[in-house]
Amino acid sequence: MGKTELLITIILFNIFFVMFVVAIAIYIRNYRQRKKEYLNEIEIKNEIHQRELLTTQLEIQQATMQQIGRELHDNIGQKLTLVSLYTQQMLYENKVPEASERIEQVSQIINQSLQDLRNLSKTLTDDNINQKDIKTLIQEEVDITNSFRKCRVSFDYNFDTLDLSFVHKNVLLRIIQEFIQNSIKHADCKNIFIKLNTSEEILWELKINDDGIGFDTSRVTSNGIGLTNMKNRAKIIGADIHFESIENEGTQLHIILNKAS
């Protein structure tokens, strides 16, 4: 074999070797890309499954509360009503003054218990979230908080109507309630500001902040139970949530849900 043939052989061998290495590299890169896409797909499916599971739990919880409310009204409520009638009859037929006073006390207790039971039953069976829009639900929560005169809450929005499902309204309302309760209990705030907006790009955007003492979030174990609850609720509907607190400056919560979600 001449030097020229040997040189050609070496060059061809090197070319084939480089092509082999490049092919292996491309295969490994494609394999990693497919693996990454597969893992991402699995993660997305798990998130969707978890979201659907949490949504179902909310619906089951609502149905259970309504069923309990109906049972209280139809079963225990009727029995208490019957006992109240019996005590009224005993009071009418009784001729002993000392016993009449005690029967009257028992009757008052029964009637008060019956009224409390009716109020509880109405609370459980009244589909308040489905019947009212989110603007009304939040304003009612604001009015209740302001009636305690512990912290002034203001509510602003940029829409006339915002058509949301039960799950979305429930999540929004519970997050707002959680934030208000935490601010009043821990932040020593004077004001809480709530803003709910919508636009062509987003379904809704919620901003809540207080002027309380704030805290160092790095020192809060697992971000605290309240914050964890808010994050989990936002996760139910696939909303992005951002929480920030600065010592002596206050706390802010920002949640946004795009229309594509």
Side-chain angles (χ1 to χ4, degrees), residues 141 145 151 153 172-187 189 191-194 206-212 215 226-227 229-230 233 241-245 250-255:
E141 191 66 29
T145 305
C151 183
V153 184
L172 270 170
L173 189 62
R174 301 313 174 205
I175 287 176
I176 290 172
Q177 290 173 336
E178 186 87 43
F179 189 96
I180 290 176
Q181 291 171 9
N182 287 345
S183 294
I184 293 176
K185 185 177 180 180
H186 302 293
C189 63
N191 296 282
I192 298 175
F193 306 94
I194 302 173
L206 176 67
K207 292 183 179 180
I208 320 177
N209 66 283
D210 64 37
D211 58 0
F215 59 92
L227 179 56
N229 288 339
M230 288 186 278
R233 291 183 186 278
I241 180 171
H242 176 72
F243 184 85
E244 182 179 5
S245 185
T251 301
Q252 177 175 310
L253 181 69
H254 182 203
I255 305 177

mmCIF file of all heavy atoms in Angstrom, residues 141 145 151 153 172-187 189 191-194 206-212 215 226-227 229-230 233 241-245 250-255:
data_model
loop_
_atom_site.group_PDB
_atom_site.id
_atom_site.type_symbol
_atom_site.label_atom_id
_atom_site.label_comp_id
_atom_site.label_asym_id
_atom_site.label_seq_id
_atom_site.Cartn_x
_atom_site.Cartn_y
_atom_site.Cartn_z
ATOM 1 N N GLU A 141 -67.427 40.779 52.629
ATOM 2 C CA GLU A 141 -66.333 40.446 53.536
ATOM 3 C C GLU A 141 -65.664 41.720 54.053
ATOM 4 O O GLU A 141 -65.308 41.806 55.238
ATOM 5 C CB GLU A 141 -65.312 39.570 52.813
ATOM 6 C CG GLU A 141 -64.268 38.941 53.711
ATOM 7 C CD GLU A 141 -64.862 37.934 54.672
ATOM 8 O OE1 GLU A 141 -65.889 37.309 54.333
ATOM 9 O OE2 GLU A 141 -64.298 37.779 55.780
ATOM 10 N N THR A 145 -65.518 43.006 58.037
ATOM 11 C CA THR A 145 -64.249 43.329 58.693
ATOM 12 C C THR A 145 -64.250 44.757 59.217
ATOM 13 O O THR A 145 -63.807 45.020 60.350
ATOM 14 C CB THR A 145 -63.077 43.138 57.716
ATOM 15 O OG1 THR A 145 -63.102 41.813 57.183
ATOM 16 C CG2 THR A 145 -61.747 43.371 58.424
ATOM 17 N N CYS A 151 -59.257 47.221 61.737
ATOM 18 C CA CYS A 151 -58.403 47.569 60.601
ATOM 19 C C CYS A 151 -59.303 47.998 59.455
ATOM 20 O O CYS A 151 -60.327 47.358 59.185
ATOM 21 C CB CYS A 151 -57.544 46.366 60.199
ATOM 22 S SG CYS A 151 -56.383 46.705 58.865
ATOM 23 N N VAL A 153 -60.435 48.298 55.762
ATOM 24 C CA VAL A 153 -60.236 47.569 54.504
ATOM 25 C C VAL A 153 -60.927 48.325 53.380
ATOM 26 O O VAL A 153 -62.089 48.717 53.501
ATOM 27 C CB VAL A 153 -60.800 46.134 54.593
ATOM 28 C CG1 VAL A 153 -60.489 45.374 53.309
ATOM 29 C CG2 VAL A 153 -60.236 45.404 55.798
ATOM 30 N N LEU A 172 -60.806 32.833 45.354
ATOM 31 C CA LEU A 172 -60.553 34.258 45.576
ATOM 32 C C LEU A 172 -61.020 34.693 46.957
ATOM 33 O O LEU A 172 -60.292 35.367 47.700
ATOM 34 C CB LEU A 172 -61.263 35.087 44.506
ATOM 35 C CG LEU A 172 -60.479 35.387 43.234
ATOM 36 C CD1 LEU A 172 -61.383 36.002 42.185
ATOM 37 C CD2 LEU A 172 -59.316 36.321 43.529
ATOM 38 N N LEU A 173 -62.228 34.306 47.313
ATOM 39 C CA LEU A 173 -62.803 34.727 48.596
ATOM 40 C C LEU A 173 -62.022 34.160 49.767
ATOM 41 O O LEU A 173 -61.727 34.876 50.737
ATOM 42 C CB LEU A 173 -64.272 34.285 48.666
ATOM 43 C CG LEU A 173 -65.074 34.821 49.851
ATOM 44 C CD1 LEU A 173 -65.149 36.345 49.814
ATOM 45 C CD2 LEU A 173 -66.481 34.220 49.845
ATOM 46 N N ARG A 174 -61.641 32.890 49.697
ATOM 47 C CA ARG A 174 -60.917 32.266 50.814
ATOM 48 C C ARG A 174 -59.514 32.862 50.960
ATOM 49 O O ARG A 174 -59.017 33.032 52.080
ATOM 50 C CB ARG A 174 -60.812 30.750 50.606
ATOM 51 C CG ARG A 174 -62.142 30.026 50.486
ATOM 52 C CD ARG A 174 -63.130 30.420 51.554
ATOM 53 N NE ARG A 174 -64.433 29.804 51.327
ATOM 54 C CZ ARG A 174 -65.583 30.294 51.766
ATOM 55 N NH1 ARG A 174 -65.595 31.430 52.460
ATOM 56 N NH2 ARG A 174 -66.715 29.677 51.516
ATOM 57 N N ILE A 175 -58.856 33.180 49.852
ATOM 58 C CA ILE A 175 -57.530 33.799 49.924
ATOM 59 C C ILE A 175 -57.625 35.177 50.569
ATOM 60 O O ILE A 175 -56.808 35.534 51.422
ATOM 61 C CB ILE A 175 -56.909 33.899 48.515
ATOM 62 C CG1 ILE A 175 -56.477 32.508 48.034
ATOM 63 C CG2 ILE A 175 -55.706 34.845 48.519
ATOM 64 C CD1 ILE A 175 -55.929 32.490 46.620
ATOM 65 N N ILE A 176 -58.627 35.947 50.174
ATOM 66 C CA ILE A 176 -58.815 37.278 50.763
ATOM 67 C C ILE A 176 -59.104 37.167 52.251
ATOM 68 O O ILE A 176 -58.557 37.921 53.065
ATOM 69 C CB ILE A 176 -59.950 38.017 50.029
ATOM 70 C CG1 ILE A 176 -59.493 38.394 48.619
ATOM 71 C CG2 ILE A 176 -60.377 39.268 50.793
ATOM 72 C CD1 ILE A 176 -60.596 38.953 47.742
ATOM 73 N N GLN A 177 -59.957 36.220 52.638
ATOM 74 C CA GLN A 177 -60.260 36.023 54.051
ATOM 75 C C GLN A 177 -59.007 35.646 54.839
ATOM 76 O O GLN A 177 -58.778 36.150 55.940
ATOM 77 C CB GLN A 177 -61.333 34.934 54.212
ATOM 78 C CG GLN A 177 -62.705 35.356 53.740
ATOM 79 C CD GLN A 177 -63.695 34.209 53.746
ATOM 80 O OE1 GLN A 177 -63.320 33.023 53.678
ATOM 81 N NE2 GLN A 177 -64.978 34.529 53.834
ATOM 82 N N GLU A 178 -58.195 34.767 54.263
ATOM 83 C CA GLU A 178 -56.962 34.327 54.923
ATOM 84 C C GLU A 178 -56.013 35.500 55.118
ATOM 85 O O GLU A 178 -55.421 35.667 56.192
ATOM 86 C CB GLU A 178 -56.292 33.240 54.086
ATOM 87 C CG GLU A 178 -55.081 32.593 54.733
ATOM 88 C CD GLU A 178 -55.441 31.426 55.632
ATOM 89 O OE1 GLU A 178 -56.298 30.616 55.242
ATOM 90 O OE2 GLU A 178 -54.867 31.352 56.729
ATOM 91 N N PHE A 179 -55.852 36.316 54.076
ATOM 92 C CA PHE A 179 -54.944 37.463 54.169
ATOM 93 C C PHE A 179 -55.434 38.454 55.220
ATOM 94 O O PHE A 179 -54.644 38.942 56.044
ATOM 95 C CB PHE A 179 -54.838 38.152 52.809
ATOM 96 C CG PHE A 179 -53.766 39.212 52.757
ATOM 97 C CD1 PHE A 179 -52.504 38.919 52.254
ATOM 98 C CD2 PHE A 179 -54.011 40.505 53.216
ATOM 99 C CE1 PHE A 179 -51.514 39.896 52.210
ATOM 100 C CE2 PHE A 179 -53.028 41.476 53.179
ATOM 101 C CZ PHE A 179 -51.774 41.173 52.674
ATOM 102 N N ILE A 180 -56.729 38.770 55.214
ATOM 103 C CA ILE A 180 -57.282 39.716 56.178
ATOM 104 C C ILE A 180 -57.092 39.215 57.598
ATOM 105 O O ILE A 180 -56.669 39.967 58.490
ATOM 106 C CB ILE A 180 -58.770 39.970 55.879
ATOM 107 C CG1 ILE A 180 -58.921 40.766 54.578
ATOM 108 C CG2 ILE A 180 -59.434 40.722 57.031
ATOM 109 C CD1 ILE A 180 -60.365 40.976 54.157
ATOM 110 N N GLN A 181 -57.385 37.957 57.835
ATOM 111 C CA GLN A 181 -57.254 37.390 59.173
ATOM 112 C C GLN A 181 -55.805 37.425 59.652
ATOM 113 O O GLN A 181 -55.521 37.778 60.805
ATOM 114 C CB GLN A 181 -57.785 35.958 59.191
ATOM 115 C CG GLN A 181 -59.290 35.865 59.007
ATOM 116 C CD GLN A 181 -59.774 34.440 58.812
ATOM 117 O OE1 GLN A 181 -59.013 33.482 58.971
ATOM 118 N NE2 GLN A 181 -61.040 34.284 58.459
ATOM 119 N N ASN A 182 -54.867 37.068 58.758
ATOM 120 C CA ASN A 182 -53.454 37.092 59.131
ATOM 121 C C ASN A 182 -52.984 38.511 59.423
ATOM 122 O O ASN A 182 -52.209 38.740 60.355
ATOM 123 C CB ASN A 182 -52.602 36.481 58.011
ATOM 124 C CG ASN A 182 -52.755 34.979 57.924
ATOM 125 O OD1 ASN A 182 -53.256 34.342 58.839
ATOM 126 N ND2 ASN A 182 -52.363 34.403 56.809
ATOM 127 N N SER A 183 -53.427 39.477 58.612
ATOM 128 C CA SER A 183 -52.999 40.865 58.796
ATOM 129 C C SER A 183 -53.504 41.423 60.119
ATOM 130 O O SER A 183 -52.770 42.088 60.854
ATOM 131 C CB SER A 183 -53.495 41.736 57.636
ATOM 132 O OG SER A 183 -52.878 41.364 56.427
ATOM 133 N N ILE A 184 -54.767 41.158 60.421
ATOM 134 C CA ILE A 184 -55.341 41.664 61.671
ATOM 135 C C ILE A 184 -54.698 40.987 62.880
ATOM 136 O O ILE A 184 -54.427 41.625 63.896
ATOM 137 C CB ILE A 184 -56.865 41.448 61.672
ATOM 138 C CG1 ILE A 184 -57.520 42.337 60.609
ATOM 139 C CG2 ILE A 184 -57.456 41.721 63.046
ATOM 140 C CD1 ILE A 184 -59.011 42.134 60.473
ATOM 141 N N LYS A 185 -54.416 39.699 62.744
ATOM 142 C CA LYS A 185 -53.896 38.935 63.876
ATOM 143 C C LYS A 185 -52.418 39.182 64.129
ATOM 144 O O LYS A 185 -51.977 39.278 65.280
ATOM 145 C CB LYS A 185 -54.142 37.439 63.633
ATOM 146 C CG LYS A 185 -53.754 36.557 64.813
ATOM 147 C CD LYS A 185 -54.105 35.102 64.522
ATOM 148 C CE LYS A 185 -53.733 34.193 65.701
ATOM 149 N NZ LYS A 185 -54.074 32.771 65.422
ATOM 150 N N HIS A 186 -51.623 39.310 63.061
ATOM 151 C CA HIS A 186 -50.170 39.345 63.227
ATOM 152 C C HIS A 186 -49.509 40.659 62.809
ATOM 153 O O HIS A 186 -48.444 40.997 63.325
ATOM 154 C CB HIS A 186 -49.525 38.210 62.405
ATOM 155 C CG HIS A 186 -50.020 36.848 62.766
ATOM 156 N ND1 HIS A 186 -49.775 36.253 63.993
ATOM 157 C CD2 HIS A 186 -50.757 35.942 62.053
ATOM 158 C CE1 HIS A 186 -50.330 35.058 64.025
ATOM 159 N NE2 HIS A 186 -50.934 34.846 62.856
ATOM 160 N N ALA A 187 -50.118 41.395 61.865
ATOM 161 C CA ALA A 187 -49.402 42.522 61.252
ATOM 162 C C ALA A 187 -49.571 43.838 61.997
ATOM 163 O O ALA A 187 -48.831 44.789 61.745
ATOM 164 C CB ALA A 187 -49.854 42.702 59.802
ATOM 165 N N CYS A 189 -51.809 46.047 61.583
ATOM 166 C CA CYS A 189 -51.978 47.027 60.502
ATOM 167 C C CYS A 189 -53.144 47.959 60.791
ATOM 168 O O CYS A 189 -54.036 47.655 61.581
ATOM 169 C CB CYS A 189 -52.199 46.307 59.171
ATOM 170 S SG CYS A 189 -53.710 45.321 59.118
ATOM 171 N N ASN A 191 -54.481 49.569 57.803
ATOM 172 C CA ASN A 191 -55.199 49.537 56.532
ATOM 173 C C ASN A 191 -54.853 48.285 55.736
ATOM 174 O O ASN A 191 -53.720 47.810 55.774
ATOM 175 C CB ASN A 191 -54.851 50.765 55.683
ATOM 176 C CG ASN A 191 -55.302 52.061 56.322
ATOM 177 O OD1 ASN A 191 -56.473 52.416 56.275
ATOM 178 N ND2 ASN A 191 -54.366 52.769 56.938
ATOM 179 N N ILE A 192 -55.860 47.788 55.024
ATOM 180 C CA ILE A 192 -55.672 46.699 54.073
ATOM 181 C C ILE A 192 -56.303 47.150 52.758
ATOM 182 O O ILE A 192 -57.441 47.628 52.735
ATOM 183 C CB ILE A 192 -56.329 45.393 54.551
ATOM 184 C CG1 ILE A 192 -55.701 44.913 55.855
ATOM 185 C CG2 ILE A 192 -56.206 44.308 53.477
ATOM 186 C CD1 ILE A 192 -56.381 43.697 56.454
ATOM 187 N N PHE A 193 -55.560 46.987 51.672
ATOM 188 C CA PHE A 193 -56.029 47.444 50.369
ATOM 189 C C PHE A 193 -56.206 46.238 49.440
ATOM 190 O O PHE A 193 -55.273 45.454 49.257
ATOM 191 C CB PHE A 193 -55.036 48.437 49.763
ATOM 192 C CG PHE A 193 -54.722 49.605 50.666
ATOM 193 C CD1 PHE A 193 -53.607 49.557 51.501
ATOM 194 C CD2 PHE A 193 -55.540 50.721 50.692
ATOM 195 C CE1 PHE A 193 -53.308 50.622 52.340
ATOM 196 C CE2 PHE A 193 -55.260 51.794 51.529
ATOM 197 C CZ PHE A 193 -54.140 51.746 52.355
ATOM 198 N N ILE A 194 -57.386 46.118 48.862
ATOM 199 C CA ILE A 194 -57.698 45.006 47.959
ATOM 200 C C ILE A 194 -58.029 45.570 46.584
ATOM 201 O O ILE A 194 -58.860 46.472 46.463
ATOM 202 C CB ILE A 194 -58.896 44.183 48.473
ATOM 203 C CG1 ILE A 194 -58.610 43.643 49.871
ATOM 204 C CG2 ILE A 194 -59.207 43.038 47.509
ATOM 205 C CD1 ILE A 194 -59.824 42.970 50.507
ATOM 206 N N LEU A 206 -55.417 39.835 41.287
ATOM 207 C CA LEU A 206 -55.713 40.239 42.661
ATOM 208 C C LEU A 206 -54.454 40.768 43.337
ATOM 209 O O LEU A 206 -53.411 40.110 43.326
ATOM 210 C CB LEU A 206 -56.261 39.051 43.461
ATOM 211 C CG LEU A 206 -56.522 39.301 44.954
ATOM 212 C CD1 LEU A 206 -57.671 40.283 45.144
ATOM 213 C CD2 LEU A 206 -56.807 37.978 45.676
ATOM 214 N N LYS A 207 -54.567 41.947 43.919
ATOM 215 C CA LYS A 207 -53.477 42.522 44.703
ATOM 216 C C LYS A 207 -54.017 42.899 46.081
ATOM 217 O O LYS A 207 -55.020 43.612 46.188
ATOM 218 C CB LYS A 207 -52.904 43.766 44.019
ATOM 219 C CG LYS A 207 -52.157 43.488 42.726
ATOM 220 C CD LYS A 207 -51.569 44.776 42.159
ATOM 221 C CE LYS A 207 -50.786 44.504 40.881
ATOM 222 N NZ LYS A 207 -50.210 45.748 40.304
ATOM 223 N N ILE A 208 -53.354 42.407 47.113
ATOM 224 C CA ILE A 208 -53.724 42.749 48.489
ATOM 225 C C ILE A 208 -52.462 43.170 49.230
ATOM 226 O O ILE A 208 -51.432 42.492 49.133
ATOM 227 C CB ILE A 208 -54.363 41.568 49.249
ATOM 228 C CG1 ILE A 208 -55.314 40.771 48.360
ATOM 229 C CG2 ILE A 208 -55.079 42.051 50.494
ATOM 230 C CD1 ILE A 208 -55.911 39.565 49.036
ATOM 231 N N ASN A 209 -52.541 44.248 49.945
ATOM 232 C CA ASN A 209 -51.398 44.653 50.766
ATOM 233 C C ASN A 209 -51.881 45.354 52.024
ATOM 234 O O ASN A 209 -52.981 45.932 52.059
ATOM 235 C CB ASN A 209 -50.446 45.554 49.979
ATOM 236 C CG ASN A 209 -51.057 46.868 49.615
ATOM 237 O OD1 ASN A 209 -51.870 46.946 48.690
ATOM 238 N ND2 ASN A 209 -50.688 47.934 50.321
ATOM 239 N N ASP A 210 -51.082 45.263 53.071
ATOM 240 C CA ASP A 210 -51.390 45.968 54.315
ATOM 241 C C ASP A 210 -50.224 46.881 54.680
ATOM 242 O O ASP A 210 -49.150 46.825 54.077
ATOM 243 C CB ASP A 210 -51.683 44.975 55.450
ATOM 244 C CG ASP A 210 -50.483 44.100 55.819
ATOM 245 O OD1 ASP A 210 -49.338 44.604 55.802
ATOM 246 O OD2 ASP A 210 -50.672 42.916 56.138
ATOM 247 N N ASP A 211 -50.446 47.750 55.655
ATOM 248 C CA ASP A 211 -49.405 48.666 56.123
ATOM 249 C C ASP A 211 -48.916 48.268 57.511
ATOM 250 O O ASP A 211 -48.600 49.117 58.335
ATOM 251 C CB ASP A 211 -49.921 50.113 56.134
ATOM 252 C CG ASP A 211 -51.164 50.284 57.008
ATOM 253 O OD1 ASP A 211 -51.621 49.269 57.607
ATOM 254 O OD2 ASP A 211 -51.681 51.405 57.097
ATOM 255 N N GLY A 212 -48.880 46.944 57.741
ATOM 256 C CA GLY A 212 -48.481 46.426 59.041
ATOM 257 C C GLY A 212 -46.978 46.360 59.231
ATOM 258 O O GLY A 212 -46.198 46.920 58.465
ATOM 259 N N PHE A 215 -42.659 41.153 58.037
ATOM 260 C CA PHE A 215 -41.793 40.165 58.674
ATOM 261 C C PHE A 215 -40.759 39.673 57.670
ATOM 262 O O PHE A 215 -40.890 39.886 56.461
ATOM 263 C CB PHE A 215 -42.608 38.979 59.220
ATOM 264 C CG PHE A 215 -43.398 38.250 58.178
ATOM 265 C CD1 PHE A 215 -42.860 37.156 57.519
ATOM 266 C CD2 PHE A 215 -44.680 38.657 57.855
ATOM 267 C CE1 PHE A 215 -43.583 36.477 56.550
ATOM 268 C CE2 PHE A 215 -45.427 37.993 56.885
ATOM 269 C CZ PHE A 215 -44.870 36.898 56.239
ATOM 270 N N GLY A 226 -50.653 29.993 56.893
ATOM 271 C CA GLY A 226 -51.544 30.864 56.130
ATOM 272 C C GLY A 226 -51.100 31.023 54.696
ATOM 273 O O GLY A 226 -51.904 30.905 53.766
ATOM 274 N N LEU A 227 -49.808 31.282 54.489
ATOM 275 C CA LEU A 227 -49.281 31.459 53.131
ATOM 276 C C LEU A 227 -49.373 30.157 52.351
ATOM 277 O O LEU A 227 -49.683 30.158 51.156
ATOM 278 C CB LEU A 227 -47.836 31.951 53.183
ATOM 279 C CG LEU A 227 -47.156 32.160 51.825
ATOM 280 C CD1 LEU A 227 -47.950 33.123 50.959
ATOM 281 C CD2 LEU A 227 -45.727 32.667 52.019
ATOM 282 N N ASN A 229 -51.611 27.845 52.708
ATOM 283 C CA ASN A 229 -53.018 27.686 52.308
ATOM 284 C C ASN A 229 -53.340 28.528 51.084
ATOM 285 O O ASN A 229 -54.025 28.072 50.156
ATOM 286 C CB ASN A 229 -53.942 28.088 53.468
ATOM 287 C CG ASN A 229 -53.922 27.081 54.596
ATOM 288 O OD1 ASN A 229 -53.554 25.936 54.402
ATOM 289 N ND2 ASN A 229 -54.310 27.515 55.782
ATOM 290 N N MET A 230 -52.853 29.776 51.064
ATOM 291 C CA MET A 230 -53.116 30.649 49.927
ATOM 292 C C MET A 230 -52.458 30.118 48.660
ATOM 293 O O MET A 230 -53.041 30.152 47.568
ATOM 294 C CB MET A 230 -52.649 32.073 50.241
ATOM 295 C CG MET A 230 -53.530 32.792 51.258
ATOM 296 S SD MET A 230 -53.097 34.534 51.520
ATOM 297 C CE MET A 230 -51.749 34.354 52.690
ATOM 298 N N ARG A 233 -54.441 27.122 47.378
ATOM 299 C CA ARG A 233 -55.693 27.525 46.752
ATOM 300 C C ARG A 233 -55.444 28.095 45.356
ATOM 301 O O ARG A 233 -56.198 27.819 44.414
ATOM 302 C CB ARG A 233 -56.418 28.551 47.620
ATOM 303 C CG ARG A 233 -56.950 27.980 48.927
ATOM 304 C CD ARG A 233 -57.728 29.015 49.715
ATOM 305 N NE ARG A 233 -58.120 28.521 51.016
ATOM 306 C CZ ARG A 233 -59.177 27.749 51.251
ATOM 307 N NH1 ARG A 233 -59.943 27.391 50.244
ATOM 308 N NH2 ARG A 233 -59.463 27.341 52.469
ATOM 309 N N ILE A 241 -48.774 33.102 41.867
ATOM 310 C CA ILE A 241 -48.879 33.832 43.120
ATOM 311 C C ILE A 241 -47.498 34.331 43.543
ATOM 312 O O ILE A 241 -46.506 33.606 43.439
ATOM 313 C CB ILE A 241 -49.510 32.947 44.231
ATOM 314 C CG1 ILE A 241 -49.612 33.715 45.558
ATOM 315 C CG2 ILE A 241 -48.746 31.649 44.410
ATOM 316 C CD1 ILE A 241 -50.423 32.966 46.610
ATOM 317 N N HIS A 242 -47.449 35.555 44.002
ATOM 318 C CA HIS A 242 -46.208 36.163 44.490
ATOM 319 C C HIS A 242 -46.491 36.831 45.829
ATOM 320 O O HIS A 242 -47.448 37.591 45.961
ATOM 321 C CB HIS A 242 -45.664 37.188 43.499
ATOM 322 C CG HIS A 242 -44.432 37.901 43.999
ATOM 323 N ND1 HIS A 242 -43.199 37.276 44.092
ATOM 324 C CD2 HIS A 242 -44.253 39.168 44.434
ATOM 325 C CE1 HIS A 242 -42.316 38.142 44.571
ATOM 326 N NE2 HIS A 242 -42.929 39.291 44.786
ATOM 327 N N PHE A 243 -45.656 36.510 46.797
ATOM 328 C CA PHE A 243 -45.842 37.025 48.155
ATOM 329 C C PHE A 243 -44.582 37.755 48.592
ATOM 330 O O PHE A 243 -43.476 37.260 48.403
ATOM 331 C CB PHE A 243 -46.123 35.852 49.110
ATOM 332 C CG PHE A 243 -46.421 36.262 50.520
ATOM 333 C CD1 PHE A 243 -47.701 36.626 50.896
ATOM 334 C CD2 PHE A 243 -45.420 36.275 51.480
ATOM 335 C CE1 PHE A 243 -47.976 36.986 52.204
ATOM 336 C CE2 PHE A 243 -45.688 36.642 52.779
ATOM 337 C CZ PHE A 243 -46.971 37.001 53.142
ATOM 338 N N GLU A 244 -44.767 38.927 49.151
ATOM 339 C CA GLU A 244 -43.621 39.723 49.592
ATOM 340 C C GLU A 244 -43.956 40.436 50.895
ATOM 341 O O GLU A 244 -45.052 40.987 51.051
ATOM 342 C CB GLU A 244 -43.245 40.758 48.526
ATOM 343 C CG GLU A 244 -42.017 41.593 48.888
ATOM 344 C CD GLU A 244 -41.650 42.598 47.813
ATOM 345 O OE1 GLU A 244 -42.408 42.701 46.827
ATOM 346 O OE2 GLU A 244 -40.620 43.272 47.958
ATOM 347 N N SER A 245 -43.026 40.391 51.825
ATOM 348 C CA SER A 245 -43.205 41.096 53.087
ATOM 349 C C SER A 245 -41.874 41.696 53.518
ATOM 350 O O SER A 245 -40.834 41.046 53.440
ATOM 351 C CB SER A 245 -43.717 40.139 54.177
ATOM 352 O OG SER A 245 -44.002 40.852 55.361
ATOM 353 N N GLY A 250 -44.760 46.378 55.643
ATOM 354 C CA GLY A 250 -46.019 45.741 55.276
ATOM 355 C C GLY A 250 -45.849 44.495 54.435
ATOM 356 O O GLY A 250 -44.732 44.063 54.138
ATOM 357 N N THR A 251 -46.987 43.943 54.042
ATOM 358 C CA THR A 251 -47.024 42.680 53.307
ATOM 359 C C THR A 251 -47.892 42.830 52.073
ATOM 360 O O THR A 251 -48.916 43.512 52.109
ATOM 361 C CB THR A 251 -47.585 41.563 54.207
ATOM 362 O OG1 THR A 251 -46.750 41.430 55.372
ATOM 363 C CG2 THR A 251 -47.623 40.244 53.477
ATOM 364 N N GLN A 252 -47.482 42.181 50.981
ATOM 365 C CA GLN A 252 -48.224 42.277 49.722
ATOM 366 C C GLN A 252 -48.382 40.907 49.091
ATOM 367 O O GLN A 252 -47.458 40.093 49.093
ATOM 368 C CB GLN A 252 -47.507 43.204 48.739
ATOM 369 C CG GLN A 252 -48.188 43.292 47.377
ATOM 370 C CD GLN A 252 -47.533 44.304 46.458
ATOM 371 O OE1 GLN A 252 -47.304 45.443 46.831
ATOM 372 N NE2 GLN A 252 -47.204 43.879 45.249
ATOM 373 N N LEU A 253 -49.559 40.675 48.562
ATOM 374 C CA LEU A 253 -49.865 39.428 47.863
ATOM 375 C C LEU A 253 -50.349 39.776 46.459
ATOM 376 O O LEU A 253 -51.214 40.637 46.283
ATOM 377 C CB LEU A 253 -50.949 38.654 48.609
ATOM 378 C CG LEU A 253 -51.361 37.301 47.998
ATOM 379 C CD1 LEU A 253 -50.224 36.297 48.128
ATOM 380 C CD2 LEU A 253 -52.608 36.775 48.673
ATOM 381 N N HIS A 254 -49.778 39.108 45.455
ATOM 382 C CA HIS A 254 -50.142 39.370 44.062
ATOM 383 C C HIS A 254 -50.447 38.034 43.391
ATOM 384 O O HIS A 254 -49.590 37.150 43.342
ATOM 385 C CB HIS A 254 -48.991 40.088 43.340
ATOM 386 C CG HIS A 254 -49.307 40.436 41.931
ATOM 387 N ND1 HIS A 254 -48.342 40.644 40.970
ATOM 388 C CD2 HIS A 254 -50.495 40.608 41.273
ATOM 389 C CE1 HIS A 254 -48.905 40.934 39.817
ATOM 390 N NE2 HIS A 254 -50.213 40.924 39.985
ATOM 391 N N ILE A 255 -51.661 37.894 42.874
ATOM 392 C CA ILE A 255 -52.075 36.665 42.202
ATOM 393 C C ILE A 255 -52.643 37.042 40.842
ATOM 394 O O ILE A 255 -53.467 37.952 40.734
ATOM 395 C CB ILE A 255 -53.138 35.903 43.015
ATOM 396 C CG1 ILE A 255 -52.635 35.639 44.429
ATOM 397 C CG2 ILE A 255 -53.496 34.591 42.334
ATOM 398 C CD1 ILE A 255 -53.645 34.961 45.315
#
